[in-house]
Amino acid sequence: MKNVLKSQEEVDRWEEAMFLYDSALKKMKLKAEMMNDEFVHRYRYNPIEHIKARLKTADSIVRKLQQDGYEVTIDNMETKLSDIAGVRIICSFTSDIYQIADVIGRQEDITVLYVKDFIRHPKPNGYKSYHMVVSVPIFLSDSRRNVKVEVQIRSVAMDFWASLEHKIAYKFEGDPPEALLRDLKACADMVDMLDNKMYSLNEAILAISEEKRKHWE
């Protein structure tokens, strides 16, 4: 990125922007961890299996701007891209996904800019995930800056499928054979069945536990 910046002033703006994205990323990741801790403390249940956080590299930012047809500038980076800072929250069940999304949306210091629900409306290839782009306030010594963070919330099974699909797409440079696409879609359907089955099993276990609890009261 620094190779395409034309002045020291632009380099300074780039470094400040990345500092802000990194700060927002840390803040959003900490919020997710605290949510999970609260659920464990209050309900003896952890809806979040694990949390991943990543900051786009300079090369990825340049490539994304060029792919989208934008000039590589700091202004375009900040206004046109929403996924420079990304937090991925992996949940046990689909019901947990919407519960976590609801909690995030009700945070007083978080503004939800927009949502893409690829669970209720999967991509044609079978991709499922719940995406939120949020604005996170970062308080500096002399000002407040609002920074965009993309939050992806998905189940363990969805994350497994998405990870493999990404690796396959990368190997074929985004243009895998048609037969492979059909197999990926079939796998996505199986992942969906697995998610539904595991949710049903969990509900059955909870019901049995509740019956036992009532019996001993």
Side-chain angles (χ1 to χ4, degrees):
M1 183 72 174
K2 290 184 179 181
N3 294 333
V4 301
L5 301 178
K6 300 174 183 177
S7 67
Q8 184 58 46
E9 181 182 357
E10 289 185 335
V11 171
D12 292 342
R13 282 191 63 197
W14 156 259
E15 291 178 346
E16 180 180 4
M18 296 312 293
F19 159 74
L20 290 170
Y21 281 118
D22 186 54
S23 299
L25 188 64
K26 290 174 180 174
K27 186 172 182 176
M28 196 65 231
K29 184 173 183 287
L30 178 60
K31 274 186 171 290
E33 291 169 348
M34 291 174 64
M35 284 179 215
N36 202 45
D37 290 345
E38 180 193 357
F39 272 88
V40 172
H41 173 69
R42 298 182 67 179
Y43 309 114
R44 302 294 187 268
Y45 175 68
N46 60 309
I48 299 175
E49 292 289 335
H50 56 274
I51 302 164
K52 303 175 184 177
R54 69 101 185 94
L55 199 63
K56 268 189 182 297
T57 64
D59 288 344
S60 294
I61 292 170
V62 170
R63 186 163 54 249
K64 186 69 163 63
L65 285 170
Q66 291 174 338
Q67 287 175 349
D68 292 347
Y70 298 117
E71 183 183 356
V72 180
T73 66
I74 303 298
D75 286 338
N76 282 343
M77 179 184 83
E78 293 178 335
T79 59
K80 305 300 183 182
L81 302 185
S82 300
D83 61 344
I84 294 176
V87 174
R88 185 172 298 153
I89 301 172
I90 313 302
C91 296
S92 304
F93 306 104
T94 304
S95 56
D96 297 327
I97 295 172
Y98 289 101
Q99 189 171 30
I100 293 298
D102 180 64
V103 173
I104 292 173
R106 289 189 281 107
Q107 298 287 301
E108 290 187 359
D109 59 341
I110 295 292
T111 301
V112 178
L113 301 178
Y114 62 87
V115 167
K116 291 184 178 180
D117 188 347
F118 294 114
I119 297 175
R120 291 195 174 102
H121 307 285
K123 291 184 178 182
N125 66 351
Y127 174 85
K128 284 189 169 188
S129 187
Y130 190 92
H131 292 195
M132 307 173 74
V133 174
V134 302
S135 177
V136 179
I138 299 299
F139 295 93
L140 304 176
S141 58
D142 58 354
S143 62
R144 163 180 164 156
R145 301 287 294 275
N146 295 316
V147 184
K148 287 186 289 187
V149 177
E150 182 187 61
V151 181
Q152 297 180 358
I153 317 173
R154 57 179 67 154
S155 71
V156 175
M158 292 174 194
D159 189 57
F160 170 74
W161 182 93
S163 178
L164 292 182
E165 189 276 338
H166 179 76
K167 290 178 181 178
I168 291 170
Y170 180 79
K171 288 181 180 179
F172 287 95
E173 297 182 345
D175 189 27
E178 191 65 32
L180 192 56
L181 290 176
R182 288 196 297 271
D183 286 344
L184 278 171
K185 178 61 172 64
C187 287
D189 293 338
M190 286 188 277
V191 163
D192 190 44
M193 291 174 60
L194 176 62
D195 263 338
N196 291 333
K197 184 62 176 177
M198 294 304 293
Y199 174 76
S200 297
L201 284 171
N202 185 63
E203 290 295 292
I205 291 168
L206 292 176
I208 293 169
S209 298
E210 180 64 15
E211 282 298 317
K212 286 184 176 179
R213 185 188 66 80
K214 289 179 179 178
H215 176 74
W216 289 104
E217 283 183 349

